[in-house]
Amino acid sequence: MSVIYLLLTISIIVAIVFFIAFIYSVKTGQYDDSYTPSVRMLFDDELVKEKQEKSTLD
């Protein structure tokens, strides 16, 4: 029975460590998308064409 308590404690500690690492990475901008805004201008013309095609169809 003591092994279950030990494993449960270790798993909770590991989960807390991963959660803290996740929060830290979000706060430091790890998941910020810096690539898409620079490429978005290349596809603006296609988006405008699609909007114009939809408006002419309506």
Side-chain angles (χ1 to χ4, degrees):
M1 192 69 171
S2 64
V3 173
I4 293 175
Y5 294 132
L6 179 67
L7 290 176
L8 186 62
T9 305
I10 291 172
S11 66
I12 289 173
I13 290 171
V14 169
I16 289 171
V17 168
F18 278 113
F19 182 69
I20 291 171
F22 173 74
I23 296 297
Y24 174 75
S25 65
V26 168
K27 293 225 183 245
T28 58
Q30 180 71 28
Y31 293 109
D32 289 346
D33 187 13
S34 61
Y35 176 71
T36 302
S38 64
V39 178
R40 189 176 298 146
M41 68 176 210
L42 300 174
F43 300 109
D44 280 344
D45 293 336
E46 293 176 8
L47 294 174
V48 170
K49 288 179 186 177
E50 289 177 8
K51 287 181 183 177
Q52 288 176 351
E53 289 175 1
K54 286 182 182 178
S55 65
T56 57
L57 293 176
D58 290 338

